[in-house]
């Protein structure tokens, strides 16, 4: 089977927001699709290991923020490369957010916000496919929605192992390389020459998270 054929599928970039009791939490997904048009139903694919999955299961609700090409990498780093199990992702001033129908949505440079209630959850090996009925939807700007292709090719972003479309980074043989242990970003050259406060440009983790290949 040629896995490269699956890499030809198209996706977007979204922030899922939900509630851990009263605490807002969530994560980045590239998998949101509209299933029906009348009284619309959407679907997301959520890794079982993600804390967001547990919170959606408990609360039965989530919001989708459609990210734009203007969305800062800080939003993706905070929501997509750390876990709500051990961090308050919506705390601090890293990005602007607000509540819509009591669910957290990313305000900063988003294109649209959608809130939904879970209808069913179908278990696959690593992920749950969550079907949800749309409760409300609003367009928030005319910015161009960020596609997964744009995130990879223009922003040079990566996805962690929990993403359903994860591709392992390819090691380069001819140069010294260091790989970020969190997102797989490949640094070419001698990382030890970078200052101590160097952070991964994709997931913002410290230099200590890199391993020499
Ligand atoms: C570009 C990108 C795409 C992602 N797509 C998905 C996805 O479709 N489904 C999923 O379960 N996780 C996806 N992830 C991974 C989660 O965002 C990530 O594992 C996050 O740290 C989970 O946080 P949590 O434990 O607070 O839920 C993606 C991450 C990135 C950066």
């Amino acid at each position: 089977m040629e896995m490269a054929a699956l890499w030809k599928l198209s996706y977007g970039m979204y922030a899922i927001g939900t509630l851990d009791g009263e605490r807002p939490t969530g994560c980045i997904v590239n998998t949101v699709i509209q299933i029906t048009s009348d009284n619309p139903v959407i679907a997301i694919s959520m890794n079982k290991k993600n804390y967001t999955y547990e919170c959606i299961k408990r609360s039965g609700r989530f919001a989708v923020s459609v990210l734009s090409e203007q969305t800062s990498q800080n939003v993706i780093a905070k929501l997509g490369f750390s876990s709500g199990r051990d961090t308050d992702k919506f705390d601090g001033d890293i990005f602007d957010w607000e509540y819509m129908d009591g669910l957290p949505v990313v305000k900063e440079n988003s294109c649209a916000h959608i809130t939904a209630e879970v209808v069913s959850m179908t278990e696959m090996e690593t992920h749950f496919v969550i079907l949800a009925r749309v409760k409300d939807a609003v367009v928030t700007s005319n910015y161009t929605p960020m596609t997964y292709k744009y995130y990879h090719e223009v922003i040079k972003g990566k996805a962690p192992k929990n993403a359903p479309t994860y591709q392992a980074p390819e090691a380069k043989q001819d140069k010294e390389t260091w790989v970020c242990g969190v997102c797989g970003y490949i640094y070419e050259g001698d990382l030890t020459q970078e200052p101590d406060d160097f952070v991964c440009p994709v997931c913002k983790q410290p230099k200590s998270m890199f391993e020499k290949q």
Side-chain angles (χ1 to χ4, degrees):
M1 182 164 62
E2 253 191 289
M3 286 304 285
L6 298 181
W7 305 339
K8 304 285 182 195
L9 296 171
S10 302
Y11 301 94
M13 286 287 289
Y14 312 97
I16 300 296
T18 189
L19 293 173
D20 177 18
E22 295 195 349
R23 186 177 72 110
T25 192
C27 73
I28 296 293
V29 299
N30 59 278
T31 48
V32 179
I33 56 169
Q34 185 176 349
I35 305 294
T36 62
S37 62
D38 200 17
N39 198 4
V41 168
I42 56 172
I44 62 174
S45 173
M46 189 61 71
N47 194 293
K48 292 177 194 176
K49 290 183 185 159
N50 286 351
Y51 192 58
T52 306
Y53 152 69
E54 291 175 32
C55 296
I56 291 178
K57 194 174 156 196
R58 280 200 298 269
S59 68
R61 299 192 307 139
F62 63 88
V64 178
S65 301
V66 181
L67 305 183
S68 79
E69 289 180 358
Q70 271 65 40
T71 298
S72 142
Q73 181 58 27
N74 290 336
V75 175
I76 299 167
K78 183 79 177 169
L79 295 177
F81 292 100
S82 63
S83 181
R85 252 183 216 96
D86 37 56
T87 175
D88 270 336
K89 295 187 182 187
F90 287 84
D91 204 16
D93 52 5
I94 288 184
F95 58 88
D96 285 345
W97 64 278
E98 63 188 349
Y99 281 110
M100 174 175 170
D101 298 341
L103 293 162
V105 287
V106 175
K107 211 170 151 190
E108 187 177 302
N109 297 339
S110 62
C111 299
H113 297 149
I114 299 163
T115 56
E117 269 178 25
V118 175
V119 175
S120 72
M121 299 174 90
T122 302
E123 188 170 6
M124 293 293 141
E125 286 80 358
T126 49
H127 287 71
F128 270 90
V129 179
I130 303 175
L131 289 170
R133 180 87 55 198
V134 172
K135 289 291 153 192
D136 201 1
V138 60
V139 173
T140 51
S141 80
N142 286 324
Y143 290 136
T144 304
M146 190 191 294
T147 62
Y148 199 47
K149 185 177 163 76
Y150 182 93
Y151 173 67
H152 281 282
E153 293 183 1
V154 180
I155 298 190
K156 305 287 180 207
K158 306 282 177 196
K161 290 187 179 152
N162 286 4
T165 47
Y166 171 74
Q167 294 172 30
E170 281 174 28
K172 299 197 175 149
Q173 306 297 332
D174 51 338
K175 293 194 186 134
E176 177 172 338
T177 54
W178 295 71
V179 175
C180 173
V182 175
C183 74
Y185 171 80
I186 295 176
Y187 177 95
E188 289 181 8
D190 183 0
L191 187 68
T192 60
Q193 298 303 308
E194 293 287 353
D196 288 345
D197 59 358
F198 172 88
V199 292
C200 173
V202 173
C203 67
K204 314 292 175 193
Q205 299 292 321
K207 202 172 159 181
S208 57
M209 297 307 292
F210 280 76
E211 272 183 29
K212 193 175 176 188
Q213 294 304 288

